[in-house]
Amino acid sequence: MTNLAAEQELMARYRQRKRLLSKLFGAVCLMAMISCVAILAFLLISVLWRGFDYLGWDLIRNLPSRSAAKAGIWVYLIGSLWLIGLTTLFAVPLGVGAALYLEEYAAESRWKRIVQLNIANLAGVPSIVYGLLGLGIFVYILNLGQSILAGALTLTLVVLPIVILASQEALRAVPGSIRQASYALGATRWQTTWRQVLPAAMPGIMTGVILAVSRALGEAAPLVAMGAVQYVDRAPTSVWDTFSALPLAIFYWAMHSKPEFHDLAAAAIIVLLVVLISLNMVAAFVRYRFGKKVRW
Amino acid sequence: MAATAKRMIALLSVGLASGCWSGGQGGRGTDVEIDGSSTVYPLSEAVAEEIRTAHPEIRVTVAKKGTGGGMERFSAGEIDICDASREMTKAEAELCAEAGVRFDRFPIAYDGIAVCVNPKNDWCDGLTVEQLKEIFRLDSPIQKWSDLNPDWPDEEIKLFGPGADSGTFDIFKEEVLGEDTKSRTGYTQSEEDMVLVNGVKADERALGYFGFSYYVENTDGLKVLGINAGDGGFIKPTNETISNNTYVPLSRPLYIYVNLDSFQDPKVANFVKFYLDNAAELANDVNHVPVGAEITADNQAKFKELSSDVAKPVGG
């Protein structure tokens, strides 16, 4: 009897301890979440606070200047929009095509495993390496010059592994039964891929594409390495033009000897964030539309 | 399979075709291409900004890969003007000669190197060049302030200086350390002067050196040291001491190197003329030390001479 009571008490204490541990773990996770949000909020608020005075049409419209009051981001903003537009144009067909081949067509073989491993590794290569590669291949060998086209192709190299990996994940998530059903109804592999698999995978692919484009929008190092300039007196009007980009302006201004430029950099960061959020909203919309279409 | 493959091949061939077709078209739309020193960059940017109203037809781009990076492109004939915070080296001049690049250079402003400590540092007001050399040479025995002067605190010196790609580093190494002495390692080095300024601002044991203009914009968080070259007293960098050459050895002229083949293009020539005419006035705006009237006159005379040379037939 006494034995049982002692055992029960022991169990109760054990359970209590476990419950405490469980609560403690929950608290630790909560702390982790709160610190992430707090860091993000701190960054956003400090950027907004510092950059707010410079926000306005003048910031968007003005050309570069030596005085912070007159300087604007027009040439940088348009340069960045050109870059991400062209990069998307190059990276999406290539990346999605490669992912389709690897997931839907390629047989399991040592060759495929090697390619797969390489793509995964390429996603981790520092972007400045791609910048130097771009300088060698696009600027000098293909003789594209230090043009916006060469810049976009360089950024395509940077984001291609991301697009391929994300698209593969999305394609893998499409249930095999859908493919089997399509074949059973007499569809060819092309019809199956184009009408069933691709639309079903589209939301996931779009997420990958947006991640890639956001990455391209924020990159400065590869562009500097391949020869983007710092000062340019007009926004590019063709793919052969010399160019600059928003991250270059932000970096230069943030390191400027005159402190008022640091606030201007904050304002430029806000614009960069707005562009990024707009892109994400477009993606969310596309995801929503495609998501509705897919009904099995 | 076939469809994807076809599409890939189509894309690839479009890519290749555009590559061949474009030969030499890249970077078009620019009349004057400038690259080089990040120290000179603000001045070139100011000139480029002003010429937008004076000569709107002249298209200018300015990059800032550093004096070394700019010289590499200049000696390959890729750019029209190279911003330089030091003179061209022999090796670079040889490369120019090999590639058939003829050039001339104009001094357009002065820059000083400011040696600064934290304002809370109340013990040190100046250093001799010998002391600077002792501090920044390789295997320096100096770890604490008291190693320099027994009266100073027994605390570590936190050093800040430019990275090896910087022209400021080159000048400091040449003028203070000398040819045969290697630079110390294991302290905070950055190509971005602002990083150094923030480092010295934050630590009362700090000692750092960087471009004079960064000191001018941050005087409230920095204390500049006088430098004793051995003969005179301790001289602090000011516009006067830098331009009249009494702040030695840490002041230097800044140059633009002009490719003389590009110079035949009237747009480049006009840009250079505008640069020389306005450099002194614009230098003040960007916290460089302006050149005196004498050098401006020299530059303009040289410009005239070059213009008349260019007008002559090639080979004459």
Side-chain angles (χ1 to χ4, degrees):
Chain A
M1 200 60 197
T2 46
N3 230 350
L4 191 66
E7 206 169 283
Q8 270 175 347
E9 202 190 308
L10 207 71
M11 277 310 287
R13 221 182 297 156
Y14 175 77
R15 257 184 247 118
Q16 210 175 6
R17 221 172 43 221
K18 285 291 156 192
R19 236 175 266 142
L20 192 74
L21 208 67
S22 171
K23 266 188 194 156
L24 205 69
F25 183 67
V28 168
C29 288
L30 182 71
M31 286 296 290
M33 192 273 284
I34 288 176
S35 32
C36 284
V37 173
I39 291 168
L40 197 66
F42 174 76
L43 278 175
L44 280 177
I45 290 169
S46 68
V47 162
L48 278 171
W49 180 258
R50 298 194 61 174
F52 194 76
D53 288 346
Y54 281 99
L55 282 181
W57 282 118
D58 280 350
L59 174 76
I60 307 288
R61 216 170 31 200
N62 281 3
L63 295 171
S65 168
R66 66 181 177 282
S67 85
K70 282 195 280 177
I73 57 169
W74 179 250
V75 297
Y76 302 107
L77 182 64
I78 301 299
S80 274
L81 293 179
W82 267 98
L83 280 174
I84 56 170
L86 287 171
T87 303
T88 315
L89 204 65
F90 298 142
V92 170
L94 276 178
V96 175
L100 275 177
Y101 179 76
L102 285 171
E103 285 304 311
E104 304 294 320
Y105 290 93
E108 280 302 325
S109 65
R110 177 183 296 191
W111 183 77
K112 187 191 157 183
R113 276 199 300 279
I114 291 174
V115 170
Q116 193 69 58
L117 187 71
N118 269 309
I119 293 172
N121 280 333
L122 283 175
V125 170
S127 54
I128 185 138
V129 175
Y130 290 111
L132 295 171
L133 192 68
L135 179 71
I137 294 179
F138 302 125
V139 177
Y140 289 124
I141 296 180
L142 289 182
N143 204 7
L144 301 181
Q146 289 165 336
S147 62
I148 207 157
L149 181 62
L153 287 168
T154 305
L155 287 181
T156 303
L157 294 182
V158 176
V159 302
L160 208 45
I162 306 174
V163 176
I164 295 175
L165 289 175
S167 304
Q168 278 188 287
E169 284 298 327
L171 291 169
R172 244 174 260 155
V174 178
S177 54
I178 297 298
R179 294 183 185 87
Q180 301 301 339
S182 179
Y183 292 141
L185 291 171
T188 62
R189 188 172 274 202
W190 155 253
Q191 286 168 327
T192 304
T193 303
W194 188 248
R195 302 214 183 126
Q196 301 300 328
V197 178
L198 209 51
M202 198 45 91
I205 293 176
M206 281 307 293
T207 308
V209 168
I210 284 302
L211 274 177
V213 171
S214 311
R215 170 95 190 267
L217 188 61
E219 284 289 354
L223 294 177
V224 171
M226 64 68 54
V229 298
Q230 186 70 52
Y231 172 93
V232 59
D233 54 10
R234 63 168 169 183
T237 51
S238 88
V239 293
W240 305 114
D241 277 354
T242 324
F243 70 101
S244 196
L246 259 182
L248 268 73
I250 291 170
F251 187 61
Y252 173 56
W253 287 341
M255 290 295 153
H256 204 283
S257 66
K258 297 183 180 176
E260 60 266 31
F261 273 97
H262 304 170
D263 295 345
L264 194 65
I269 289 171
I270 297 171
V271 175
L272 190 73
L273 284 176
V274 168
V275 175
L276 214 62
I277 291 168
S278 328
L279 281 174
N280 273 311
M281 277 164 65
V282 171
F285 179 71
V286 171
R287 231 170 10 220
Y288 171 73
R289 290 294 299 268
F290 271 96
K292 268 213 310 203
K293 266 192 202 163
V294 178
R295 287 232 178 91
W296 291 317
Chain B
M1 164 83 216
T4 315
K6 261 185 203 162
R7 205 166 53 171
M8 300 280 272
I9 290 165
L11 269 167
L12 272 176
S13 46
V14 167
L16 284 177
S18 63
C20 302
W21 164 60
S22 72
Q25 294 199 31
R28 270 199 327 187
T30 303
D31 302 315
V32 186
E33 245 186 298
I34 309 174
D35 200 344
S37 165
S38 55
T39 310
V40 186
Y41 174 81
L43 185 57
S44 290
E45 183 195 41
V47 174
E49 182 191 350
E50 286 307 310
I51 211 162
R52 288 205 303 254
T53 40
H55 293 280
E57 77 283 5
I58 302 179
R59 296 287 175 197
V60 186
T61 60
V62 193
K64 51 181 192 90
K65 291 202 175 54
T67 305
M71 281 297 177
E72 205 173 297
R73 296 188 66 202
F74 185 78
S75 57
E78 286 180 30
I79 51 174
D80 306 310
I81 294 174
C82 182
D83 289 340
S85 60
R86 55 166 171 78
E87 284 177 30
M88 185 184 267
T89 64
K90 259 187 197 150
E92 287 161 351
E94 275 164 21
L95 280 176
C96 282
E98 270 172 40
V101 173
R102 300 178 306 129
F103 61 87
D104 211 329
R105 70 149 200 253
F106 300 91
I108 34 90
Y110 295 100
D111 186 34
I113 295 173
V115 182
C116 290
V117 294
N118 192 282
K120 284 192 194 131
N121 176 330
D122 54 6
W123 55 88
C124 181
D125 289 309
L127 290 171
T128 65
V129 174
E130 266 314 299
Q131 281 174 315
L132 277 179
K133 181 174 176 177
E134 274 304 292
I135 296 169
F136 280 99
R137 76 179 167 85
L138 190 63
D139 302 324
S140 164
I142 292 167
Q143 303 295 339
K144 294 174 172 178
W145 281 100
S146 53
D147 294 337
L148 281 171
N149 183 333
D151 298 337
W152 291 350
D154 184 25
E155 284 188 80
E156 190 196 351
I157 301 188
K158 294 273 279 179
L159 295 175
F160 295 86
D165 284 345
S166 149
T168 313
F169 176 86
D170 288 342
I171 296 284
F172 189 87
K173 185 175 179 312
E174 193 180 306
E175 296 294 341
V176 173
L177 300 180
E179 286 273 303
D180 309 324
T181 313
K182 283 196 173 137
S183 171
R184 178 179 187 143
T185 53
Y187 64 99
T188 308
Q189 288 186 290
S190 171
E191 264 73 25
E192 292 296 335
D193 287 13
M194 206 57 216
V195 173
L196 308 173
V197 169
N198 288 334
V200 177
K201 266 184 178 175
D203 194 327
E204 62 182 285
R205 301 160 302 167
L207 172 76
Y209 71 93
F210 37 77
F212 177 64
S213 56
Y214 280 80
Y215 162 68
V216 175
E217 285 293 339
N218 296 281
T219 43
D220 48 345
L222 299 169
K223 179 172 120 180
V224 71
L225 297 184
I227 299 299
N228 186 342
D231 39 5
F234 290 92
I235 311 275
K236 288 189 177 181
T238 62
N239 274 8
E240 288 73 46
T241 57
I242 290 172
S243 62
N244 69 14
N245 234 2
T246 48
Y247 181 66
V248 282
L250 292 180
S251 64
R252 55 176 170 173
L254 304 175
Y255 301 102
I256 52 171
Y257 280 79
V258 180
N259 182 322
L260 290 184
D261 290 323
S262 308
F263 194 77
Q264 306 208 4
D265 178 351
K267 283 180 173 172
V268 176
N270 275 337
F271 178 82
V272 172
K273 181 167 178 8
F274 189 83
Y275 205 131
L276 299 176
D277 291 348
N278 295 283
E281 191 194 328
L282 292 173
N284 283 317
D285 278 12
V286 297
N287 294 322
H288 282 144
V289 178
V291 291
E294 200 176 318
I295 290 181
T296 303
D298 280 358
N299 279 340
Q300 283 159 343
K302 199 197 251 176
F303 177 86
K304 258 189 201 139
E305 202 178 308
L306 282 175
S307 311
S308 55
D309 279 358
V310 163
K312 286 178 200 161
V314 180

